[in-house]
Amino acid sequence: MIKSLKTVAAAAAVSLIGSASVAEELRIGTASLGGAFYPMGQAISNVVNKHAGEGISMVPIVTGGSVQNPNLIASGEVEIAITNNNLAVLATKGAGPYKAAGPIDIGAVAALHPSVLHMMVLADSDIQTLEDLKGKRVAVGPAGGGTLGFVNFLFPLHGMSIDDITPSFVSYSDGFSQLTDGTVDATLALSGFPAGAVMQATAGADLRFISFSEGMLDKALEANGAFVEVEVPTDVYGTAEPGTVIGVNNMLIAPNDMDAATVQAVTSAIFENLDELKAENANARQIDPAMSLNLAIPLHPGAKAYFDSK
């Protein structure tokens, strides 16, 4: 995956900006296809390419997702990326999945949409709660994605481990395709909503959210204050009942040594044209500019300069 990023970036850059010569190309790390990060990255790139001014272009890159993205910034494979609030904190501390890399010097650029853990089955499945996944075949997203982090957090709280399931490490699109064709019994996907992979699956099948057993969602929220309870309304995916799910807010991050003027231009392009971003991307409608002033890590100096000017 990582070895191919630059090749993908170059090809995508040609499609986005043609043969125009640019002074600075920013690769934005997103996630696998079928989730919410990649289309969000596309929409942000389009707004930045249109409004950030000459000399700055942006291209979305398919990656392993929120866990991998801070590491890709540390290795220089991407210049800017989307991740979860809790992972951004771990990255700055060199903790959890970032122990090998050590502390990563990143700053927040903007608060984005929340991601929720889609725990879904076919509507007629006998799987009702997370505990019912024992012994089942479960799509858990790419190995470097945020879904697996939630699995490793939630399963021990339920007296389980990933060894209690037969995991399928595939993209969200493939995971929901496997669900509808019967290859797996359940699919887990950490994504904003509506997620493209889920929408595609519901076009040919009725799905249902897996529920938390009584008291278990509260237990999970108490165990990690970065997580929140979110309700996914029935009209999002046409489910018979709303989904009461666990979620986390997302943010755009950049290395603190990135030129402050560049980051300020990117931040300005996003928030001065937020209506345009919302028109292109449904998840962007959940962005609240005020949340960028209350993030889990400090703002990048360029982003701070933008918000200080408001």
Side-chain angles (χ1 to χ4, degrees):
M1 174 79 70
I2 295 178
K3 292 182 180 179
S4 65
L5 292 183
K6 292 182 178 178
T7 300
V8 175
V14 171
S15 66
L16 286 172
I17 61 176
S19 59
S21 176
V22 296
E24 187 168 14
E25 179 182 280
L26 306 177
R27 295 162 295 180
I28 177 172
T30 60
S32 66
L33 299 176
F37 279 14
Y38 186 79
M40 176 64 75
Q42 283 183 311
I44 290 173
S45 295
N46 291 339
V47 168
V48 168
N49 290 333
K50 186 175 179 180
H51 298 290
E54 291 187 19
I56 299 175
S57 72
M58 184 176 288
V59 56
I61 302 297
V62 174
T63 73
S66 53
V67 174
Q68 186 188 36
N69 285 340
N71 279 328
L72 293 179
I73 284 182
S75 65
E77 294 291 334
V78 301
E79 288 73 37
I80 195 165
I82 305 172
T83 193
N84 309 139
N85 279 11
N86 59 310
L87 292 172
V89 173
L90 293 176
T92 61
K93 295 179 177 179
Y98 310 105
K99 286 181 180 178
I104 302 173
D105 188 21
I106 52 174
V109 176
L112 299 177
H113 63 286
S115 284
V116 302
L117 184 64
H118 294 72
M119 302 191 300
M120 305 195 78
V121 293
L122 296 177
D124 60 357
S125 170
D126 60 355
I127 297 172
Q128 299 295 330
T129 66
L130 193 148
E131 292 94 331
D132 293 335
L133 292 177
K134 288 183 178 180
K136 303 297 186 180
R137 302 162 300 170
V138 185
V140 294
T147 301
L148 194 57
F150 266 79
V151 168
N152 291 331
F153 167 70
L154 287 174
F155 276 28
L157 291 179
H158 290 76
M160 300 166 58
S161 75
I162 197 167
D163 293 333
D164 290 312
I165 63 173
T166 300
S168 178
F169 300 98
V170 294
S171 71
Y172 294 163
S173 292
D174 288 344
F176 277 93
S177 292
Q178 289 182 350
L179 178 62
T180 56
D181 68 21
T183 305
V184 297
D185 304 299
T187 296
L188 310 184
L190 182 68
S191 173
F193 64 90
V198 186
M199 296 293 288
Q200 185 173 357
T202 57
D206 293 329
L207 303 185
R208 172 172 53 78
F209 284 95
I210 298 171
S211 301
F212 281 93
S213 299
E214 185 175 356
M216 292 306 299
L217 179 54
D218 289 337
K219 182 178 179 180
L221 299 179
E222 289 172 4
N224 192 322
F227 300 147
V228 295
E229 178 181 336
V230 180
E231 182 171 288
V232 181
T234 58
D235 61 359
V236 174
Y237 299 122
T239 52
E241 300 291 337
T244 301
V245 297
I246 190 169
V248 63
N249 290 319
N250 298 309
M251 69 170 77
L252 193 62
I253 58 172
N256 279 321
D257 62 3
M258 180 183 286
D259 179 62
T262 297
V263 175
Q264 184 172 357
V266 168
T267 310
S268 177
I270 293 170
F271 288 103
E272 295 301 313
N273 302 281
L274 192 54
D275 287 343
E276 185 175 327
L277 187 65
K278 291 178 178 180
E280 180 173 347
N281 184 280
N283 296 114
R285 297 167 195 165
Q286 302 170 39
I287 295 176
D288 178 1
M291 291 183 66
S292 293
L293 302 179
N294 189 29
L295 287 168
I297 65 173
L299 285 170
H300 187 284
K304 186 176 186 302
Y306 169 76
F307 287 112
D308 285 348
S309 70
K310 296 291 102 182

